[in-house]
């Protein structure tokens, strides 16, 4: 009896175990994976040459739906600095989207000199591809010179390339570098045709929606409008007088005053669009068409729309950051942003998209403006540097044409010429440094490859190190005095380490963002890892930034 009792219990145990195993298998077999929460759409916006102080200089004149909306509803990292030099368009776009610096991503300027091939290299040039959408050569471009991935690449990889990435700008580099290596489409403006184009790196034919957008001939419409101030000109109290001799003229103008008449340029010079504030309107209209044409935010995955607004840069170069033209450009852009946000709210849904806004660099005050107002600053006669240093080297070291070129504030030597003459490279380099530090407007000059021994502030040393790429950079870097700019002509530009060129806005709004502000110092390179953290994706392959944790909900 005892044996039968235990045998009975044994059979019950086996049956219970088998049932439990079947139930476990059935219970733990996933039917559908859990979906990672991400926004429907990420919109990254770079405003070319937007200094941080523009957020507040014109704040009272902004609408509640444009810049003010991002400041009040979003998060502002108020003390965001560019951590390298020179501060140039291509470098900025590359660093924003890679979270890295030129030393790592390889984009050390808009152009750089390659001594191996003996010529300048354009940052996104690629002669192995073809123009798509035009008969010009302005489409011979790709991201091949970018040595690392972007956050847009990382999003594509994180979703096994189901997420779409579209990038748009008037400038080719403003579209290509943010789009990364794997963009579904990068589109930029073709001066020859007045259309948006792309390259065969991305596709073999323009999408139908781009063809339809080009057929609308927006540039012709904008040229017909001319450029008058959007408000009465006497209300522009945050700017200088309208006519200043240190502003560059449009072709055919007698004075740099409003109105600027563009009707004469219709179908004649499409490149003029970049210098009009309407160039920003045109770019944002293209962005709206991309949302519809590519069904961005409707794919079931998190898509990415990268926009770079270029006209602010062209206006800034021509008229300077204290001009009525600059103020009017930002007041017009504010209205464009208000319209664009309303469009995103309607099509994607408020709270369903993540938006960030930043800049690739700032702007140096026009040197003549600084002198006019008794501040340090002047134009720098850099053209004589090469001639005088070549003569010095020939006289003292018997080397003819020892300097290849001077660009991006760097001196680049012809090493073959120096070796052929059996001259001492180190002595030549020191002689050039000694020459440069004696020139008006030069703060210091340093051996880039020996920065640890340079007597310069640590902040500047760090920026020089981050801007130096061993394969693409030069031999000597000269640091310009504050307020000086390397040109004697009207207008101004950028490239310096100083706050007016390196202090940029960094604003985030929408999905996953906690409204607020911080004055803690962050860097341009922190934007990509922050967006990556919000999206739960790996940061780009060369990223050195850190997450701005204060803004994450």
């Amino acid at each position: 009896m005892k044996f039968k009792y235990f045998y009975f219990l044994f059979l019950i145990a086996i049956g219970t175990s088998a049932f439990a195993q079947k139930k476990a298998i059935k219970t733990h077999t996933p039917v559908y994976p859990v979906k990672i929460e991400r926004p429907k759409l990420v919109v990254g916006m770079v405003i070319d040459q937007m200094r941080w102080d523009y957020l507040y200089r014109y704040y009272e004149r902004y609408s509640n739906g444009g810049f003010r909306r991002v400041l009040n509803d979003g998060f502002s990292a108020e003390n965001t600095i560019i951590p390298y030099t020179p501060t140039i368009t291509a470098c900025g776009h590359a660093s924003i989207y890679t979270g890295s610096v030129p030393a790592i991503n390889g984009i050390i300027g808009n152009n750089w000199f390659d001594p191996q091939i003996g010529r300048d290299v354009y940052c996104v040039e690629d002669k192995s591809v073809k123009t798509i959408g035009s008969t010009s050569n302005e489409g011979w471009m790709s991201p091949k010179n970018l040595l690392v991935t972007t956050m847009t690449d990382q999003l594509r990889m994180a979703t096994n390339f189901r997420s779409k990435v579209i990038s748009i700008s008037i400038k080719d580099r403003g579209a290509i570098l943010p789009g990364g290596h794997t963009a579904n489409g990068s589109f930029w403006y073709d001066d020859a045709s007045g259309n948006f184009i792309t390259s065969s790196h991305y596709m073999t034919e323009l999408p139908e929606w781009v063809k339809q957008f080009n057929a609308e001939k927006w540039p012709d419409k904008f040229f017909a409008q001319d450029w008058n101030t959007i408000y009465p000109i006497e209300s522009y109290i945050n700017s200088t007088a309208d006519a200043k001799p240190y502003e560059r003229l449009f072709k055919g103008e007698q004075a740099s005053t409003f109105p600027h008449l563009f009707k004469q340029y219709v179908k004649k010079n499409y490149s003029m669009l970049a210098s009009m504030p309407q160039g920003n309107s045109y770019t944002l209209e293209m962005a709206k068409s991309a949302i519809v044409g590519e069904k961005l935010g409707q794919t079931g995955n998190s898509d990415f729309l990268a926009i770079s607004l270029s006209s602010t840069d062209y206006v800034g170069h021509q008229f300077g950051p204290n001009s009525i033209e600059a103020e009017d450009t930002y007041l017009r852009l504010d209205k464009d942003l208000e319209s664009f946000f309303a469009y995103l709210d309607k099509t994607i849904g408020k709270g369903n998209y993540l938006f960030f806004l930043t800049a690739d660099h700032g702007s140096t005050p026009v040197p003549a403006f600084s002198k006019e107002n008794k501040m340090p600053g002047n134009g720098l006669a850099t053209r004589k540097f090469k001639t005088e240093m070549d003569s010095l080297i020939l006289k003292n070291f018997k080397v003819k044409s020892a300097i290849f070129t001077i660009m991006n504030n760097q001196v680049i030597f012809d090493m073959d010429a120096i070796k052929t003459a059996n001259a001492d490279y180190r002595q030549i380099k020191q002689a050039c440094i000694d020459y440069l530090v004696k020139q008006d407007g030069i703060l210091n000059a340093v051996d880039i490859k020996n920065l640890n021994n340079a007597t310069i502030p640590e902040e500047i040393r760090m920026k020089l190190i981050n801007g130096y790429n061993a394969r693409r950079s030069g031999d000597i870097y000269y640091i310009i005095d504050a307020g000086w700019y390397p040109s004697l002509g009207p207008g101004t530009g950028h490239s310096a380490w100083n706050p007016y060129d390196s202090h940029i806005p960094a604003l985030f709004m929408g999905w996953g963002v906690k409204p607020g502000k911080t004055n803690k110092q962050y860097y341009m390179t922190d934007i990509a890892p922050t967006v990556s953290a919000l999206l739960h994706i790996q940061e780009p392959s060369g990223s050195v930034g850190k997450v701005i944790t204060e803004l994450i909900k």
Side-chain angles (χ1 to χ4, degrees):
M1 282 294 295
K2 191 176 287 188
F3 173 78
K4 290 181 179 181
Y5 175 73
F6 282 113
Y7 182 69
F8 177 70
L9 291 178
F10 175 70
L11 291 176
I12 291 176
I14 290 175
T16 303
S17 176
F19 175 76
Q21 287 178 15
K22 284 184 179 181
K23 184 177 181 182
I25 292 170
K26 185 175 182 180
T27 302
H28 291 94
T29 300
V31 179
Y32 296 105
V34 176
K35 191 176 180 70
I36 297 294
E37 288 192 15
R38 293 190 178 110
K40 290 182 177 180
L41 180 65
V42 183
V43 179
M45 181 175 290
V46 179
I47 301 180
D48 205 319
Q49 203 187 118
M50 183 176 181
R51 291 164 38 147
W52 168 82
D53 59 310
Y54 292 159
L55 289 173
Y56 297 101
R57 189 192 300 182
Y58 313 130
Y59 182 86
E60 293 179 354
R61 307 201 74 184
Y62 290 147
S63 66
N64 288 327
F67 284 112
R68 275 197 210 170
R69 175 175 169 181
V70 192
L71 281 166
N72 296 332
D73 295 355
F75 186 94
S76 178
E78 295 277 282
N79 193 21
T80 300
I81 304 297
I82 298 175
Y84 58 81
T85 189
T87 47
I88 294 175
T89 296
C91 307
H93 284 80
S95 293
I96 290 164
Y97 277 84
T98 65
S100 68
V101 291
I104 298 170
N105 64 46
I107 305 299
I108 66 166
N110 292 339
N111 297 75
W112 57 83
F113 187 81
D114 187 337
Q116 294 182 351
I117 59 177
R119 66 170 179 85
D120 289 359
V121 173
Y122 181 55
C123 57
V124 291
E125 71 168 51
D126 186 352
K127 292 180 172 55
S128 71
V129 299
K130 297 178 181 179
T131 303
I132 302 298
S134 170
T135 57
S136 75
N137 61 5
E138 292 188 29
W140 297 0
M141 309 289 171
S142 85
K144 77 168 188 177
N145 290 324
L146 182 63
L147 303 178
V148 297
T149 62
T150 60
M151 57 176 146
T152 46
D153 288 325
Q154 297 298 146
L155 177 61
R156 292 270 286 150
M157 287 190 286
T159 61
N160 197 26
F161 301 96
R162 293 189 300 274
S163 291
K164 278 189 175 182
V165 169
I166 300 293
S167 57
I168 296 167
S169 177
I170 283 180
K171 293 182 180 180
D172 46 25
R173 56 190 180 272
I176 291 169
L177 296 169
H181 301 274
T182 63
N184 298 87
S186 288
F187 304 97
W188 55 94
Y189 184 64
D190 176 42
D191 290 343
S193 63
N195 292 331
F196 273 99
I197 62 171
T198 188
S199 88
S200 57
H201 174 84
Y202 306 99
M203 58 193 67
T204 57
E205 186 179 359
L206 284 180
E208 194 59 36
W209 66 267
V210 178
K211 293 178 182 178
Q212 292 175 5
F213 181 82
N214 286 336
E216 295 177 29
K217 296 297 179 184
W218 283 88
D220 289 355
K221 299 174 187 177
F222 289 133
F223 282 135
Q225 293 175 9
D226 290 329
W227 183 9
N228 279 287
T229 54
I230 196 171
Y231 299 113
I233 197 165
E234 61 271 15
S235 69
Y236 288 70
I237 60 173
N238 293 310
S239 304
T240 60
D242 189 19
K244 286 292 182 180
Y246 47 75
E247 298 176 343
R248 291 207 305 263
L249 304 179
F250 283 114
K251 185 179 179 181
E253 284 189 328
Q254 300 301 311
S256 61
T257 56
F258 282 98
H260 298 292
L261 305 177
F262 290 118
K263 291 186 180 70
Q264 59 186 310
Y265 297 117
V266 176
K267 295 182 180 178
K268 293 180 181 179
N269 187 357
Y270 280 118
S271 66
M272 291 296 300
L273 180 70
S275 300
M276 301 165 59
Q278 292 93 333
N280 295 326
S281 308
Y282 179 55
T283 306
L284 289 171
E285 289 298 328
M286 175 67 169
K288 293 176 186 176
S289 293
I291 291 172
V292 175
E294 297 289 342
K295 296 182 171 56
L296 299 179
Q298 303 171 45
T299 64
N301 298 287
S302 194
D303 298 321
F304 203 119
L305 176 61
I307 305 167
S308 178
L309 301 176
S310 307
S311 293
T312 41
D313 184 66
Y314 288 94
V315 171
H317 277 289
Q318 184 167 348
F319 298 99
N322 298 92
S323 62
I324 292 178
E325 282 83 359
E327 181 174 353
D328 192 64
T329 295
Y330 278 90
L331 297 181
R332 287 173 175 273
L333 176 55
D334 180 65
K335 288 188 171 294
D336 285 339
L337 286 178
E338 183 176 32
S339 172
F340 186 62
F341 290 146
Y343 182 83
L344 290 175
D345 290 343
K346 181 179 178 181
T347 56
I348 309 300
K350 190 174 182 179
N352 289 329
Y353 59 90
L354 167 64
F355 174 83
F356 70 86
L357 181 155
T358 189
D360 52 349
H361 54 73
S363 176
T364 304
V366 177
F369 166 85
S370 295
K371 290 182 70 177
E372 179 182 68
N373 290 281
K374 302 177 182 179
M375 294 182 291
N378 209 337
L380 188 63
T382 56
R383 290 187 176 181
K384 68 174 185 177
F385 289 173
K386 183 179 185 304
T387 301
E388 293 185 359
M389 283 191 288
D390 267 336
S391 296
L392 182 152
I393 295 167
L394 179 61
K395 178 181 178 181
N396 296 324
F397 301 97
K398 312 303 180 190
V399 184
K400 186 177 181 181
S401 301
I403 298 173
F404 260 132
T405 190
I406 297 177
M407 63 190 309
N408 299 327
N409 298 350
Q410 297 173 45
V411 179
I412 302 161
F413 290 109
D414 184 341
M415 296 305 298
D416 289 337
I418 293 172
K419 289 177 181 177
T420 300
N422 199 28
D424 191 315
Y425 167 62
R426 288 177 295 179
Q427 289 184 12
I428 290 174
K429 186 159 45 175
Q430 188 58 52
C432 289
I433 290 173
D434 293 341
Y435 162 85
L436 286 166
V437 295
K438 294 175 184 176
Q439 306 308 307
D440 290 341
I442 299 296
L443 177 68
N444 209 335
V446 296
D447 179 349
I448 302 178
K449 298 175 183 178
N450 194 21
L451 284 171
N452 285 335
N453 291 326
T455 310
I456 53 176
E458 193 57 41
E459 182 76 8
I460 299 177
R461 189 196 319 276
M462 177 268 288
K463 291 186 176 186
L464 289 173
I465 290 171
N466 286 340
Y468 173 73
N469 181 274
R471 286 178 284 177
R472 296 175 176 177
S473 293
D475 302 279
I476 295 172
Y477 192 98
Y478 55 86
I479 305 161
I480 299 172
D481 275 325
W484 286 63
Y485 183 69
S487 172
L488 296 176
T492 189
H494 47 86
S495 70
W497 68 271
N498 309 74
Y500 46 72
D501 277 5
S502 64
H503 188 187
I504 57 172
L507 306 173
F508 302 79
M509 182 180 74
W511 190 95
V513 175
K514 180 171 60 177
K517 284 184 180 179
T518 181
N519 280 295
K520 179 180 175 182
Q521 187 173 85
Y522 282 102
Y523 292 111
M524 171 189 275
T525 47
D526 298 327
I527 295 170
T530 300
V531 173
S532 298
L534 285 164
L535 297 179
H536 305 289
I537 62 175
Q538 182 70 277
E539 65 269 26
S541 59
S543 178
V544 295
K546 57 187 175 182
V547 177
I548 306 173
T549 56
E550 296 99 315
L551 68 81
I552 298 177
K553 283 184 180 178

